[in-house]
Amino acid sequence: LTRHGARSLPESGRVLGVSRESVYRIGHAEVPPGGLLLLYTDGVTECPSPSGEEFGVERLAGLAQVLLDAPAAHIVSAIFDALQEHSCNERPPDDASVLIARRAG
């Protein structure tokens, strides 16, 4: 994420989880100065509302974009607050993990 928008990495798969059965692909991306790398598990984007609407990648990226200059811990807290609000305080059906890394500008 940068002030100019979000970009998805072309590679995806298990980054935050470890499994002997998983096949890992290596990809490269450069986070520009002042940019933010946001890694998340599918439990974040697939968290449903009571009506079944998923939280989604766009909502996640939009929230992080608005908070781009905030401390990483604040962004993570805001994401989990938004997930709780989205699910109307229901327990998500899947685990949810978020990792943020920021490149100094």
Side-chain angles (χ1 to χ4, degrees):
L1 294 165
T2 67
R3 294 192 195 299
H4 305 291
R7 188 180 124 223
S8 296
L9 299 176
E11 294 80 15
S12 67
R14 286 185 185 261
V15 175
L16 297 179
V18 178
S19 171
R20 291 179 202 241
E21 297 80 32
S22 291
V23 175
Y24 297 92
R25 290 172 278 176
I26 297 174
H28 300 275
E30 183 176 330
V31 177
L36 187 87
L37 177 65
L38 170 63
L39 303 175
Y40 56 89
T41 60
D42 62 353
V44 174
T45 54
E46 295 175 1
C47 178
S49 69
S51 66
E53 176 190 8
E54 291 186 348
F55 191 74
V57 174
E58 295 80 18
R59 190 179 321 222
L60 176 62
L63 179 58
Q65 187 75 45
V66 167
L67 298 171
L68 186 63
D69 294 325
H74 179 78
I75 298 170
V76 171
S77 292
I79 289 169
F80 283 101
D81 288 348
L83 286 174
Q84 189 173 15
E85 183 178 323
H86 178 75
S87 67
C88 293
N89 296 318
E90 292 292 319
R91 183 178 175 161
D94 196 1
D95 65 311
S97 299
V98 173
L99 175 76
I100 292 180
R102 179 186 314 279
R103 182 171 174 191

